[in-house]
Amino acid sequence: MADQLTKVFAALADPTRRDMVARLSIADATVNELAEPYEVSVQAVSKHLKVLEDSGLVTRTRDAQRRPVHLEDNVFDLMTKWIERYRQQAEERYQRLDAVLDEMNADEDSENTDLTATSARGSAQESSKGA
């Protein structure tokens, strides 16, 4: 038994289902309305909707003779929290890497400055010996 997050990501792995979710984010629609732009049967669209329903992304209600499909946007909060947690961890790793690289660059600049000063002193001593 998969958890809801797994079901949601699995449901959204299909481009047709992602397109249905995009269309449902604009307005509720019936199965027939959802099936219009696709070159598949209404039955195939119903199977896609079943996957979306099982994941909790959509629900069907009854409105007289219509059974509109409704997008449950609260499920996106679950996905957002999961993604945000890993985004923050990645951001913290990049910040630590930036600090290490800045420190390495500062050390390298310091070494180059020391070498330049040593070289300049050596040249000055050579010049004074020759004069």
Side-chain angles (χ1 to χ4, degrees), residues 2-18 21 51-57 75-87:
D3 64 302
Q4 186 178 18
L5 192 60
T6 301
K7 287 180 178 180
V8 170
F9 280 116
L12 293 175
D14 184 274
T16 301
R17 289 193 286 265
R18 285 195 305 272
V21 167
V51 173
L52 292 172
E53 271 185 299
D54 289 345
S55 71
L57 278 165
V75 175
F76 292 109
D77 293 341
L78 178 70
M79 297 172 68
T80 301
K81 286 178 186 172
W82 186 85
I83 291 169
E84 183 61 23
R85 180 177 60 188
Y86 293 106
R87 191 201 62 75

Side-chain angles (χ1 to χ4, degrees), residues 109-130:
D109 289 346
S110 174
E111 288 176 15
N112 287 340
T113 303
D114 291 344
L115 287 175
T116 302
T118 302
S119 177
R121 269 185 266 137
S123 295
Q125 288 174 350
E126 292 288 325
S127 296
S128 67
K129 287 181 184 176

Side-chain angles (χ1 to χ4, degrees), residues 11-62:
L12 293 175
D14 184 274
T16 301
R17 289 193 286 265
R18 285 195 305 272
D19 187 58
M20 288 179 176
V21 167
R23 292 173 57 212
L24 289 169
S25 70
I26 298 168
D28 292 355
T30 64
V31 174
N32 286 333
E33 291 167 341
L34 286 170
E36 285 174 9
Y38 307 114
E39 293 183 15
V40 296
S41 66
V42 172
Q43 190 175 22
V45 170
S46 290
K47 286 183 180 179
H48 282 299
L49 285 174
K50 178 74 174 136
V51 173
L52 292 172
E53 271 185 299
D54 289 345
S55 71
L57 278 165
V58 300
T59 55
R60 292 186 208 199
T61 57
R62 183 168 294 280

